[in-house]
Amino acid sequence: MPSMNLPTSFGPFSALPRDASPRLRIIQNCQMGIAVLAVVAAFFTLVIPSERKFFTLSLLYTPLLTSITTVYLVRREQRRAVAGTLSKQRYIKYQCFKMAAAIGMSIIGFIGHVASTPAKGDAHFAGERGLWISGVKINTWQGLLLWLNFFNWVFLWASLFYSCCMTGRQQGSIALTGEEARIGINPEEADDEAVARALQAEDPNWQG
């Protein structure tokens, strides 16, 4: 019987077909995870008493704003993958939209960050080590927020590079079963699972 493109619950945020590429699933889960972490981090920043609260929150403006468009486009990718209409060309277009929207949102976030910069910075003594941004010494929590912002861009660029490397079918939806992104791998060198499926398909006694 032909397999249906039913969504699967593998992964905390995944709504992809059961035969979806693990690489595609990982990238989407990471992007959705960044969005969730940004919201959680913003909540803790607001409720926990601390100095420079608005400055600390401004470090999250970029991941929070970029997550709005990223989550929307990831859900579009997943719906088209389930429907079997996610072509390579359309997937590349989504990644370009993600990057363009992220750059635009980051500009807004940077403006908000500048507006939240305190007029008076922290005292900076000679020989004192640490990271300083806009005259404010970055503490451990603020450093974690900067890492969150860093990985937000890492996964956005990863999805863009992945879209250029993946192998699409000549017609129809993208090859979701592991044919994409075979960089440096000979076509004959399929993985064990693919070989097993091929042998099963050639066995006349095997019934799908």
Side-chain angles (χ1 to χ4, degrees), residues 26-202:
I26 289 171
I27 289 176
Q28 289 186 344
N29 283 345
C30 288
Q31 291 179 341
M32 299 287 274
I34 288 292
V36 172
L37 289 176
V39 172
V40 172
F43 172 77
F44 281 113
T45 301
L46 288 172
V47 300
I48 297 177
S50 63
E51 297 183 19
R52 314 288 191 189
K53 183 183 294 288
F54 290 107
F55 173 81
T56 304
L57 187 63
S58 72
L59 299 177
L60 286 168
Y61 288 165
T62 293
L64 282 172
L65 292 173
T66 57
S67 292
I68 296 174
T69 54
T70 298
V71 170
Y72 171 76
L73 290 170
V74 167
R75 298 301 296 175
R76 291 286 299 271
E77 294 170 14
Q78 293 175 343
R79 286 197 295 269
R80 285 195 171 274
V82 172
T85 59
L86 184 61
S87 64
K88 179 179 179 179
Q89 291 74 17
R90 188 174 297 276
Y91 184 77
I92 293 176
K93 184 184 296 184
Y94 283 152
Q95 307 322 304
C96 293
F97 285 161
K98 280 182 189 177
M99 290 302 302
I103 292 173
M105 289 296 190
S106 65
I107 293 174
I108 298 175
F110 177 75
I111 295 173
H113 168 73
V114 172
S116 302
T117 300
K120 183 179 180 181
D122 297 329
H124 193 175
F125 302 101
E128 186 177 6
R129 302 179 62 183
L131 175 63
W132 301 75
I133 296 179
S134 301
V136 178
K137 185 177 182 180
I138 302 300
N139 58 30
T140 302
W141 175 247
Q142 293 167 338
L144 291 175
L145 301 185
L146 292 176
W147 278 111
L148 181 66
N149 197 4
F150 170 76
F151 282 108
N152 176 48
W153 286 106
V154 166
F155 296 132
L156 284 171
W157 281 106
S159 66
L160 182 62
F161 290 144
Y162 172 75
S163 68
C164 299
C165 297
M166 67 193 313
T167 301
R169 295 172 182 162
Q170 293 182 355
Q171 295 180 348
S173 61
I174 59 176
L176 295 175
T177 55
E179 296 179 5
E180 76 286 1
R182 293 185 176 275
I183 302 175
I185 300 178
N186 294 327
E188 296 83 4
E189 296 178 359
D191 54 23
D192 294 339
E193 184 179 355
V195 173
R197 288 198 300 268
L199 292 175
Q200 287 178 334
E202 294 174 1

Side-chain angles (χ1 to χ4, degrees), residues 13-29:
F13 315 107
S14 183
L16 290 170
R18 295 184 181 277
D19 63 346
S21 162
R23 289 176 286 274
L24 178 61
R25 195 186 306 278
I26 289 171
I27 289 176
Q28 289 186 344
N29 283 345

